[in-house]
Amino acid sequence: MDIDLARAWVQAIAAAVGRHKDHLTQLDSAIGDADHGTNLDRGFTAAAAVVADLTPDTVGAVFTRTGTTLISTIGGASGPLYGGAFRALGQALDVPSAAPQAFAAALAAGLESIQKLGTASPGDKTMIDAYAPAVAAFDERARQGTDFAAAAAAAADAAEEGMRATTPLQARKGRASYLGARSVGHQDPGATSTALIFRALANTAANP
Ligand code: ADP
Ligand code: MG
């Protein structure tokens, strides 16, 4: 992971969120307040513009600015959660380039930030159900010595599997939890956007 890849990833997330905005909002209309797509589109469009104008010395600077921008532009729960995660990634990567193992550790710091702020656990039907398996898959591949792109592809696959596995769960955190048993049978919007974020990383790393 270097500065160019960091910037390209944020821009790829913005593009993917733009393409899937309506789907994310549709998912959030079933078990939330129908703003997840517009929330993330606003945030990542702003972040992509900010990092395009940035001449950073470190990978971390790209992610810290991304996180700060998400926090200040996204209204809903996902803003501070994703914003805090990117800021944690930024803090962990105060280097011009990071090997897969260092990036795995940064992803773990991002997960820790989401869990600290949101106090959700795996199985609560949140973004964590996609994020946690993605971090574990990336870390496993990095430990095996796989290259960055292959580790990112494994992370994206794991995130998508985790996303699909949220459908039968009952929500225990966030707005969807107000629905109780009626949240069962719907895929979680935040787990879906997390899968998009990791797929964007895999695609960007494969075609830098
Ligand atoms: P809001 O719920 O405020 O409208 P969004 O619609 O942007 O915010 O985001 C909703 C998503 O945020 C949910 O689908 C879920 O994945 C995630 N989320 C909500 N609360 C939490 C939490 N406490 N911990 C982790 N993720 C959460
Ligand atoms: Mg919402």
Side-chain angles (χ1 to χ4, degrees):
M1 166 64 68
D2 60 14
I3 292 165
D4 286 343
L5 180 57
R7 191 191 276 118
W9 180 29
V10 174
Q11 289 167 341
I13 297 170
V17 164
R19 283 195 304 273
H20 295 272
K21 180 171 82 168
D22 292 346
H23 181 226
L24 293 173
T25 288
Q26 239 171 49
L27 294 172
D28 196 35
S29 76
I31 56 170
D33 57 353
D35 64 355
H36 193 56
T38 44
N39 278 346
L40 291 195
D41 189 46
R42 186 170 58 249
F44 280 102
T45 299
V50 166
V51 302
D53 291 339
L54 210 61
T55 46
D57 297 326
T58 64
V59 173
V62 176
F63 295 142
T64 302
R65 285 298 299 273
T66 296
T68 307
T69 306
L70 296 179
I71 291 169
S72 64
T73 54
I74 300 179
S78 58
L81 292 166
Y82 279 138
F86 273 99
R87 286 177 55 88
L89 226 64
Q91 263 177 24
L93 294 169
D94 194 20
V95 287
S97 127
Q101 289 219 32
F103 190 73
L107 287 176
L111 175 61
E112 200 181 309
S113 163
I114 294 172
Q115 287 188 300
K116 209 167 154 186
L117 184 65
T119 68
S121 304
D124 285 350
K125 197 181 182 97
T126 71
M127 57 175 69
I128 284 176
D129 292 320
Y131 200 104
V135 175
F138 193 101
D139 185 60
E140 189 191 335
R141 296 305 165 101
R143 282 175 203 277
Q144 291 165 354
T146 321
D147 68 21
F148 192 96
D157 290 346
E160 285 165 5
E161 199 183 318
M163 165 194 91
R164 286 189 292 269
T166 61
T167 301
L169 298 175
Q170 178 169 333
R172 285 194 291 252
K173 289 285 175 188
R175 252 174 226 288
S177 66
Y178 308 156
L179 292 178
R182 281 185 293 137
S183 64
V184 171
H186 302 279
Q187 187 170 295
D188 180 61
T192 307
S193 55
T194 291
L196 287 179
I197 287 169
F198 280 97
R199 185 55 67 193
L201 179 63
N203 289 341
T204 309
N207 304 292

